[in-house]
Amino acid sequence: MIYTFHIVTIGHLSRNRYWGEDESVAYRKALCTCTLLSGGGEHILVDPSLPAQRMDEALLWAAGLHRADITRVYTTHYHLDHHVDPLFPNAQWFMPRTEIDYLQENWDAYIRTFPGDDRANLAQAHPVEETLADGIRVVPLPGHTQGLCGLAFDAPEGRVLLTGDAVMTREFYQAGKPYLFGWNDEMGIKTIQAIKGQYDVIIPGHGEAFAARAWERTTEY
Ligand SMILES: [Zn+2]
């Protein structure tokens, strides 16, 4: 199965080391990269980043679709900016089982970092392991959170890995460094090392999709 992908929203960080910004200041509200995978009659929306009305607009602009056309929603990890209005009229919402299990045990720690979320939201997410749909592999990428899982699939561009916040942007990929609100940075570094050399395209958590090999050079920012 070959999936085509559209970037529905190009994410950005609240602060970005590679833009010369101070890491103790939030310059803007974070927006995650939201991606649509289409293939085999499915329209799968990953990391819904906008409130419902704005998402409808973004889907229309990116792919000529509406929220009702989405067949599955997937959230890479349970940070608030990756599950803004995740409930769609004709879609089930999926999350990695590892992430759901961790949150059930550690809700208090999560809510300290992301105040304002509601535990009832978590109960709406269906756990998923190994495969999200035909040809879409669920790939554990621990570090940013314990249970974060990306998605690997084939596209016309080649092998694609959608990483969520395991890779924030292409610069962080090149440097091999995790960033902001990480659960275990040492593990996050190992995760990026393990990804390198495996994929043609990376769709990161808070930036543009990029050609992986071009950003595997050793140049340090
Ligand atoms: Zn995150």
Side-chain angles (χ1 to χ4, degrees):
M1 175 76 67
I2 301 281
Y3 286 87
T4 56
F5 68 88
H6 288 95
I7 305 299
V8 178
T9 62
I10 300 174
H12 56 253
L13 292 158
S14 57
R15 66 217 76 176
N16 189 332
R17 174 189 300 164
Y18 299 110
W19 295 358
E21 293 173 344
D22 184 339
E23 288 180 28
S24 64
V25 179
Y27 293 82
R28 60 205 154 254
K29 195 169 185 286
L31 178 77
C32 76
T33 295
C34 170
T35 309
L36 175 74
L37 312 186
S38 296
E42 297 261 8
H43 292 300
I44 302 169
L45 193 68
V46 184
D47 286 347
S49 57
L50 296 171
Q53 197 183 340
R54 289 185 61 201
M55 182 54 79
D56 236 344
E57 215 168 58
L59 278 170
L60 191 62
W61 293 357
L65 297 179
H66 299 274
R67 292 175 75 251
D69 296 318
I70 300 302
T71 56
R72 296 174 206 236
V73 175
Y74 178 77
T75 290
T76 53
H77 67 297
Y78 198 75
H79 281 167
L80 200 50
D81 53 325
H82 293 255
H83 63 277
V84 180
D85 274 349
L87 302 178
F88 286 60
N90 299 316
Q92 280 199 327
W93 175 29
F94 297 92
M95 271 216 330
R97 178 179 290 285
T98 45
E99 186 76 346
I100 292 175
D101 288 351
Y102 176 78
L103 279 158
Q104 299 288 18
E105 308 259 307
N106 299 279
W107 182 261
D108 292 346
Y110 166 74
I111 207 71
R112 273 198 297 277
T113 313
F114 289 87
D117 205 349
D118 183 346
R119 193 169 188 168
N121 290 336
L122 184 60
Q124 312 274 345
H126 296 76
V128 66
E129 302 172 78
E130 294 183 12
T131 305
L132 176 63
D134 185 23
I136 303 182
R137 200 159 50 86
V138 176
V139 182
L141 302 171
H144 180 69
T145 69
Q146 187 170 326
L148 187 154
C149 291
L151 299 175
F153 58 94
D154 288 325
E157 291 87 347
R159 291 287 295 151
V160 181
L161 182 67
L162 187 157
T163 65
D165 291 0
V167 175
M168 288 296 193
T169 72
R170 58 198 184 186
E171 291 86 356
F172 287 94
Y173 181 72
Q174 184 172 52
K177 288 176 182 162
Y179 194 54
L180 293 180
F181 306 116
W183 165 70
N184 182 329
D185 282 351
E186 215 172 291
M187 196 172 281
I189 290 168
K190 284 192 183 133
T191 286
I192 296 173
Q193 280 169 352
I195 295 168
K196 284 189 175 179
Q198 308 284 320
Y199 295 93
D200 299 305
V201 175
I202 302 284
I203 303 174
H206 286 269
E208 300 167 62
F210 59 90
R213 314 252 185 247
W215 290 83
E216 285 167 10
R217 297 187 308 260
T218 53
T219 307
E220 182 72 54
Y221 281 82

